[in-house]
Amino acid sequence: MKYQTNNPRELAVKTLLRTSNGSYSNLQINAVIESTAMNDADKALFTNIVYGVIQHRLTLEYQLAPFLKNPKKTDDWVKELLYTAMYQLTYLDRVPKRAIFDESIKIAKQMGHDGTRRFVTGILHQMDRQGLLDPNQIKDPIRRVSIKYSVPEWLVSLIGDQLGQAKAERIFESLNQAPKQSVRVNKVKTTKAQLLDQLTQAGYETEESRVADEALIIDKGQIVHSPFFESGLLTIQDESAMLPVESMTIKPDDIILDACSAPGGKTTQIAANLKTGKVIALDIHQNKLKNVTRNAKRLGVDHLIETQALDARKVSDRFEDQIFDHILVDAPCSGFGLMRRKPEIRYDKSLADVKHLSQVQLQILEAVAPKVKTGGTITYSTCTIVQQENQEVIRQFIEAHPDFRVEPTKTDLNLPTDDNGMLNLYPDDFGSDGFFVCSLVRKA
């Protein structure tokens, strides 16, 4: 898409309009950055506003409502423009109020007409005089948490019931913090010590992860377009997402099935532990497997990976006589552990989605169970934090398959597991994505 402007605030309004209609925020942000000539400061402001408005959408809707006499007659883009102004006024300390007002009013006239300009001007000045509603004054505890942290009420209730209200609120509060820039060291091409030294010399501020042994946190400096990324010395991967493979005991000659592989972070992580073995990477979508292959070539492990487009629930149809040493099921899930990184997830999913996904997850486990050798392990993982997709799926699987047992999930940095040996990592624990990992061993 061509844009006639490089104004970060106007681009933010247009991007938010598309994301509110179902487009993925990260894809839209990347597309805008690549197709405009914004400088680095404007790119940062644009990205901050888009993610910020999405993160705080329920809060902003609640606070805007008293100022709209006819909300249904107010154009969606005008609401998005007002949300961007409100977000900047409330959450961005370094942006002067005059600049926010002037830019918002200018955009109102450019995207609308003089009447729109007057309408937006009036609301902004009314907000300035009266102030915005404080969500802490909401009496109902579920609604208060929902509006304060911008999380749907059903999800507030669900997480609160499962983890307790105090833990749930800590999770929700953490979700509106900026995500870390986490990378995995590609041990095929370098070592952590060497890469740390090179990054430091190149001016990056880097620290070791407290979550995963192969992870580094880049505190300052964009790494994705750097020579380190392009040459395959590292890859972008959240520290929590490294734990499923880290928990697997992989031998150099193992034959491993990655049942749900795209975009390939865990596939290439498995391959980095192989010499003469192979990882067969499945995904239901052929086009997504191109990302797996692209990542594998960049990291120098493509000769150890075989991709096949296949629904993991149909493994027996394609691999009738194949038995694997290990199987990774990084199952399709609701993604509620990723809400910091993909804020729109909280609004896009429902309890019905959770129930449907838990059925799919169990079906995948059922399908791959006969394909792992005796003594081999199925590593089950999700990037969600709701028990229906995690502990409950494992409970149902074990009940139907007494030939499997849960083995305590082991990680290099000895992260604690629950009483059943399963690893539950929540977004507030270390500031990483939320993840669940369970190791299922096939008994003799």
Side-chain angles (χ1 to χ4, degrees):
M1 179 178 291
K2 295 286 185 181
Y3 295 92
Q4 302 301 317
T5 179
N6 291 313
N7 184 324
R9 292 178 172 89
E10 183 177 343
L11 290 168
V13 173
K14 293 176 178 177
T15 303
L16 285 163
L17 194 61
R18 282 192 296 279
T19 59
S20 67
N21 291 324
S23 299
Y24 290 113
S25 60
N26 59 328
L27 298 180
Q28 288 297 322
I29 286 171
N30 292 339
V32 171
I33 287 175
E34 288 174 5
S35 58
T36 58
M38 287 187 288
N39 60 37
D40 288 345
D42 284 347
K43 288 176 185 176
L45 178 62
F46 160 74
T47 303
N48 191 330
I49 292 173
V50 174
Y51 277 136
V53 170
I54 297 172
Q55 284 175 330
H56 297 280
R57 182 168 292 279
L58 296 185
T59 312
L60 297 170
E61 287 177 353
Y62 168 76
Q63 293 176 324
L64 178 61
F67 299 99
L68 296 181
K69 293 180 181 178
N70 296 300
K72 291 184 179 179
K73 293 184 178 180
T74 305
D75 289 340
D76 288 342
W77 74 264
V78 176
K79 292 179 187 174
E80 298 297 344
L81 172 60
L82 290 166
Y83 294 150
T84 65
M86 293 164 68
Y87 171 73
Q88 293 172 81
L89 288 166
T90 306
Y91 300 99
L92 300 186
D93 297 334
R94 297 182 180 180
V95 183
K97 180 169 66 176
R98 176 181 290 180
I100 297 168
F101 276 37
D102 288 349
E103 283 293 318
S104 300
I105 292 166
K106 184 171 72 175
I107 293 167
K109 185 174 181 179
Q110 286 176 343
M111 292 184 63
H113 46 71
D114 202 52
T116 318
R117 178 190 63 78
R118 290 195 299 271
F119 177 76
V120 169
T121 302
I123 287 183
L124 289 175
H125 286 293
Q126 195 177 353
M127 286 179 179
D128 194 33
R129 290 192 303 270
Q130 298 180 12
L132 299 174
L133 292 174
D134 181 2
N136 286 307
Q137 302 304 313
I138 299 172
K139 292 181 179 180
D140 179 80
I142 299 298
R143 177 162 167 74
R144 181 174 62 249
V145 172
S146 170
I147 297 300
K148 185 176 180 180
Y149 301 114
S150 197
V151 179
E153 289 186 27
W154 75 268
L155 192 54
V156 173
S157 297
L158 182 66
I159 302 296
D161 290 344
Q162 293 182 355
L163 303 178
Q165 291 299 332
K167 176 66 173 177
E169 191 157 351
R170 286 197 299 272
I171 290 172
F172 298 141
E173 183 178 14
S174 77
L175 293 176
N176 292 331
Q177 299 166 359
K180 295 178 183 178
Q181 188 179 194
S182 169
V183 301
R184 173 169 58 84
V185 178
N186 181 16
K187 61 186 183 183
V188 172
K189 294 189 174 186
T190 188
T191 66
K192 184 163 68 173
Q194 288 173 335
L195 186 57
L196 263 172
D197 185 54
Q198 290 177 301
L199 287 167
T200 301
Q201 289 183 27
Y204 291 92
E205 292 185 9
T206 309
E207 60 181 302
E208 295 189 42
S209 168
R210 296 185 295 146
V211 176
D213 186 53
E214 294 178 5
L216 294 175
I217 307 302
I218 311 292
D219 294 319
K220 187 176 180 182
Q222 287 297 317
I223 201 73
V224 69
H225 298 299
S226 71
F228 298 99
F229 179 84
E230 300 294 346
S231 63
L233 295 177
L234 54 79
T235 193
I236 309 297
Q237 190 174 4
D238 188 77
E239 30 188 350
S240 297
M242 302 177 203
L243 296 174
V245 176
E246 183 179 287
S247 72
M248 300 167 67
T249 304
I250 300 173
K251 296 177 182 176
D253 60 347
D254 279 344
I255 306 299
I256 298 174
L257 177 69
D258 186 352
C260 313
S261 66
K266 297 176 188 67
T267 309
T268 56
Q269 189 180 357
I270 292 171
N273 291 278
L274 300 175
K275 296 293 185 185
T276 57
K278 181 169 65 174
V279 52
I280 296 177
L282 308 183
D283 198 88
I284 195 169
H285 301 292
Q286 177 70 55
N287 62 317
K288 289 187 177 182
L289 288 171
K290 294 177 183 177
N291 289 330
V292 179
T293 303
R294 189 181 303 115
N295 283 327
K297 287 181 178 178
R298 181 175 57 83
L299 297 171
V301 293
D302 50 306
H303 61 292
L304 299 164
I305 296 171
E306 176 187 324
T307 62
Q308 294 197 34
L310 182 70
D311 185 330
R313 292 171 290 185
K314 299 179 180 179
V315 163
S316 292
D317 296 350
R318 185 77 57 86
F319 301 97
E320 187 175 353
D321 301 319
Q322 176 82 60
I323 297 295
F324 297 94
D325 295 297
H326 301 287
I327 297 176
L328 172 63
V329 176
D330 185 46
C333 69
S334 58
F336 289 129
L338 308 179
M339 286 188 282
R340 182 187 291 114
R341 202 173 299 279
K342 298 180 179 179
E344 64 268 32
I345 285 174
R346 65 187 85 183
Y347 316 117
D348 292 346
K349 297 290 192 299
S350 66
L351 187 57
D353 293 320
V354 169
K355 291 176 180 177
H356 169 70
L357 286 162
S358 66
Q359 294 170 355
V360 173
Q361 292 151 0
L362 188 58
Q363 289 167 1
I364 293 173
L365 280 177
E366 294 274 0
V368 303
K371 294 295 155 189
V372 69
K373 72 178 184 182
T374 300
T377 304
I378 298 176
T379 300
Y380 176 80
S381 64
T382 72
C383 54
T384 191
I385 56 176
V386 295
Q387 293 175 3
Q388 288 94 329
E389 299 179 73
N390 295 337
Q391 293 90 337
E392 184 60 22
V393 169
I394 298 301
R395 183 192 65 77
Q396 292 181 62
F397 176 77
I398 291 293
E399 280 185 3
H401 295 270
D403 55 328
F404 281 84
R405 61 179 169 81
V406 174
E407 176 87 4
T409 299
K410 296 177 182 178
T411 53
D412 292 344
L413 301 182
N414 297 313
L415 299 177
T417 56
D418 63 21
D419 293 340
N420 296 310
M422 305 179 206
L423 177 63
N424 298 273
L425 206 63
Y426 298 104
D428 64 313
D429 292 339
F430 297 98
S432 65
D433 291 343
F435 244 84
F436 173 82
V437 186
C438 177
S439 304
L440 298 160
V441 176
R442 189 172 190 177
K443 299 185 287 188

